[in-house]
Amino acid sequence: MAQTPSAHEVDDDLWQTLLAAAQEAMGRAYAPYSHYPVGAAALVDDGRTVVGCNVENAAYGVTLCAECGLVSQLHISGGGRLTHFVCVNRDGAVIMPCGRCRQLLFENGGRDLLVWTVSGVRRMDQVLPDAFGPDDLA
């Protein structure tokens, strides 16, 4: 099993920048039904930061999670691989992505993606063990 990055491997300034970007994105969420805005931010392997927020819909099943918006922005702005990710709730506190969104993140960041979770920074292969992804289709 992969090891959690130690404190010296995690750039606190980078994480604080991503946290602030996620909190700003959360402020733009459209959550009139759940009243639970979520924001997400990630670093891309080329240095870009991408963000997303949840967008609800009266037909609840068509609601978009913040991670969906983030992944869409990743691809529309040039693609690449996610390297660091965080999402926050309406209070600006770090939250865990849901299962569906963990799969989206795995697809676009792979096993080595670092995710700031409620338990600290974890590699994606710890957040979603035994995941199925693009490498399995090769």
Side-chain angles (χ1 to χ4, degrees):
M1 178 175 249
Q3 295 294 316
T4 300
S6 65
H8 72 275
E9 294 175 292
V10 177
D11 181 344
D12 191 53
D13 289 339
L14 168 80
W15 285 114
Q16 291 306 312
T17 298
L18 287 178
L19 180 65
Q23 290 168 336
E24 183 178 340
M26 178 272 303
R28 298 179 186 277
Y30 177 71
Y33 307 106
S34 72
H35 305 288
Y36 193 77
V38 175
L43 183 67
V44 183
D45 59 1
D46 65 5
R48 282 177 294 134
T49 298
V50 291
V51 297
C53 64
N54 59 323
V55 178
E56 294 181 349
N57 190 290
Y60 204 68
V62 256
T63 292
L64 298 174
C65 297
E67 296 87 342
C68 294
L70 182 146
V71 167
S72 182
Q73 188 183 59
L74 169 70
H75 287 281
I76 202 164
S77 66
R81 298 293 282 174
L82 301 175
T83 62
H84 299 72
F85 172 86
V86 64
C87 63
V88 299
N89 66 14
R90 65 178 160 234
D91 298 322
V94 172
I95 58 173
M96 194 68 162
C98 71
R100 173 180 175 248
C101 291
R102 292 178 199 190
Q103 182 62 40
L104 281 171
L105 293 170
F106 184 86
E107 180 83 13
N108 290 279
R111 290 168 172 77
D112 295 328
L113 171 62
L114 296 178
V115 180
W116 186 354
T117 75
V118 296
S119 302
V121 176
R122 303 283 186 257
R123 282 175 35 130
M124 195 67 220
D125 59 1
Q126 293 172 304
V127 174
L128 189 64
D130 302 321
F132 178 85
D135 294 341
D136 297 301
L137 300 176

